[in-house]
């Protein structure tokens, strides 16, 4: 379990809320990511806490960190992609279940089973499932259709304060539209090793030269999303 020292008691409580309870948990989460999640959660997370987290992950006191290690931590924090705390598990499950239902509908129409929903203040404002074949439109991916409906519903293409749940890692086209829409957070199911633009092939969300930074988290109901895709392509074969 994490202890004080090297971590302040408040930090241990904050980390517990992120389901980080032990040195192994901290190592798996990543020191810099854990630090940035604490900041994103509204906690006072100073540079000294970053060093304390690194020390805790190593099993030593923060004062033992040398100058090179501290410089590397500062640089890693500056270059890290944006992060946001995950919504509660029940919320994640409910919205991803809706996206999976839409993905199944795509499969019924002979489309690759991908579904997406846009959520604002706990309410779905946009839905979409893959329709490029039926609509003769190469841009009619689930994410694009969900973004269009959400923007139309609120009368603004800027979707600040919104989350997108999608069953498959976005491609470069969808990632670009997501960034342009100023979405806060994307939560996806299965990774896409051939065209994924959220880390599998490239990570547009980590490109700091772009004009907005959307946080991204994968692996949400990944098994169910992967099973839908596997069943679809097995039937096609």
């Amino acid at each position: 379990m994490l202890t004080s020292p090297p971590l302040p008691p408040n930090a241990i409580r904050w980390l517990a809320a992120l389901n980080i309870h032990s040195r192994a948990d901290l190592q798996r989460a990543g020191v810099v990511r854990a630090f940035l999640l604490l900041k994103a959660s509204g906690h006072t997370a100073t540079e000294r806490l970053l060093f304390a987290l690194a020390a805790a992950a190593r099993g030593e006191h923060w004062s033992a960190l040398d100058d090179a290690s501290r410089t590397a931590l500062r640089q890693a924090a500056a270059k890290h992609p944006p992060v946001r705390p995950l919504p509660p598990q029940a919320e994640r499950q409910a919205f991803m279940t809706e996206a999976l239902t839409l993905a199944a509908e795509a499969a019924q129409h002979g489309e690759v089973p991908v579904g997406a929903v846009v959520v604002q203040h706990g309410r779905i404002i946009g839905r979409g499932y893959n329709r490029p074949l039926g609509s003769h439109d190469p841009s009619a991916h689930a994410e694009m259709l969900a973004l269009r409906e959400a923007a139309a519903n609120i009368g603004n293409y800027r979707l600040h304060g919104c989350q997108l749940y999608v069953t498959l890692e976005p491609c470069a086209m969808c990632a670009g539209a997501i960034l342009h829409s100023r979405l806060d957070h994307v939560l996806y199911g299965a990774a896409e090793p051939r065209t994924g633009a959220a880390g599998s092939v490239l990570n547009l969300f980590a490109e700091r030269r772009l004009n907005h930074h959307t946080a991204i988290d994968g692996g949400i109901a990944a098994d169910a999303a992967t099973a839908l895709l596997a069943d679809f392509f097995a039937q096609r074969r």
Side-chain angles (χ1 to χ4, degrees), residues 62-82:
W62 68 269
S63 61
L65 294 179
D66 58 26
D67 289 342
S69 296
R70 296 184 189 193
T71 298
L73 286 166
R74 292 188 189 101
Q75 292 174 345
K79 294 178 181 178
H80 198 283

Side-chain angles (χ1 to χ4, degrees), residues 140-230:
H141 286 195
E143 302 97 310
M144 302 291 285
L145 299 179
L147 291 174
R148 289 172 188 165
E149 184 174 286
N153 279 337
I154 68 171
N156 193 338
Y157 80 89
R158 293 183 175 89
L159 300 175
H160 291 295
C162 295
Q163 302 82 41
L164 173 75
Y165 289 79
V166 59
T167 58
L168 186 66
E169 179 183 357
C171 67
M173 173 184 71
C174 294
I178 288 165
L179 289 168
H180 192 55
S181 73
R182 276 70 167 174
L183 268 169
D184 281 4
H185 201 172
V186 173
L187 301 101
Y188 71 85
E192 173 46 277
R194 295 175 301 169
T195 62
S200 290
V201 177
L202 73 163
N203 192 351
L204 288 179
F205 298 95
E207 178 50 74
R208 302 191 72 84
R209 291 173 294 182
L210 298 177
N211 67 346
H212 181 75
H213 304 297
T214 298
I216 185 123
D217 283 286
I220 313 298
D223 290 345
T226 300
L228 267 177
L229 290 161

Side-chain angles (χ1 to χ4, degrees), residues 30 38 76 83 108 116 130 165 190 237:
L38 292 178
V83 300
Q108 292 173 5
N130 262 10
Y165 289 79
R237 287 192 292 269

